[in-house]
Amino acid sequence: MADLNNSLFDERANGSFNTIMANLEIPKDPQQAKEWVMKQAEQRMKKMRSWSAFFNRSNFNAPASLQALIPRIMKNLLYYSTNYLLIFIVISLYSIFTNPLFLVSIFAIAALWLYSFVYVKEPLTIAGIQITERQRTLALAVVTVLLFWFTSTGSTLFFIIGISLFIILAHASLFNNEVTDFDEPLPS
């Protein structure tokens, strides 16, 4: 029975991931990809809620019970998702401006992984020794960890994710969405 439940879970998880990836339909042509990204950003910005409603202090209070907390958080996460995304972006930009080495190391890590797995099609040979994909992945993982360690990228990522989660979850759990007239229905 456990194997059946695990296989059903795997199928649902893979199906939803594949569905999401299929629906993205990212164009291969750079100009079309740029237009696609701009279109996606425009659609996302249309979903942004007013900041005055987002920060309306009269709507902040503790939930009546623990059972009311989860539905409140889910409703606020769905309704204010673009506002929360912008908070994450602002915190990320702040981190980049205060620690430019963070941006350099992220680009270096991304470039190494991208080059290794997208542009290198044939097996890599160094000094006459053929490097397998597994060895290359291990070497890249070591380089990634070293770059994270020496450039404090790991602590910066922890800061970005931690502060963002704290602010977003604090707002989502304390903002009373029952007193707010949502101007449009929530996505189902």
Side-chain angles (χ1 to χ4, degrees):
M1 184 67 177
D3 291 334
L4 178 62
N5 288 338
N6 287 339
S7 66
L8 289 174
F9 175 76
D10 291 341
E11 287 177 22
R12 280 182 282 176
N14 290 336
S16 62
F17 177 77
N18 291 336
T19 302
I20 290 169
M21 295 308 291
N23 289 337
L24 283 178
E25 297 177 9
I26 301 172
K28 302 279 188 233
D29 178 53
Q31 183 60 31
Q32 290 177 344
K34 179 182 176 185
E35 291 170 7
W36 180 85
V37 168
M38 297 304 289
K39 180 182 169 192
Q40 296 299 317
E42 182 181 319
Q43 288 176 353
R44 178 54 98 170
M45 291 307 288
K46 287 179 183 176
K47 295 179 182 178
M48 186 165 66
R49 311 303 177 188
S50 79
W51 290 103
S52 59
F54 185 81
F55 289 118
N56 187 352
R57 290 187 302 163
S58 64
N59 289 345
F60 284 92
N61 61 16
S65 68
L66 198 53
Q67 288 78 20
L69 179 64
I70 300 300
R72 177 187 279 195
I73 290 173
M74 295 305 293
K75 189 173 181 181
N76 283 333
L77 286 175
L78 287 171
Y79 189 75
Y80 288 112
S81 62
T82 302
N83 298 68
Y84 294 143
L85 177 65
L86 286 176
I87 288 172
F88 175 78
I89 290 170
V90 167
I91 292 169
S92 298
L93 289 174
Y94 169 78
S95 297
I96 289 168
F97 287 127
T98 58
N99 185 3
L101 192 55
F102 168 71
L103 184 63
V104 172
S105 65
I106 290 293
F107 278 138
I109 291 166
L112 283 171
W113 284 90
L114 186 69
Y115 177 76
S116 178
F117 290 104
V118 174
Y119 295 110
V120 176
K121 299 295 184 197
E122 65 276 346
L124 189 61
T125 305
I126 299 176
I129 301 171
Q130 188 170 353
I131 308 297
T132 66
E133 187 174 329
R134 184 180 181 144
Q135 293 167 331
R136 185 174 44 177
T137 303
L138 181 61
L140 284 173
V142 169
V143 168
T144 300
V145 168
L146 290 174
L147 277 173
F148 267 53
W149 181 265
F150 289 118
T151 61
S152 71
T153 300
S155 61
T156 305
L157 281 173
F158 181 75
F159 169 79
I160 292 170
I161 294 168
I163 294 297
S164 297
L165 281 175
F166 176 77
I167 292 171
I168 291 166
L169 289 177
H171 180 273
S173 61
L174 296 175
F175 189 82
N176 186 2
N177 50 34
E178 299 301 324
V179 298
T180 303
D181 289 330
F182 289 133
D183 52 358
E184 62 185 53
L186 291 172
S188 51

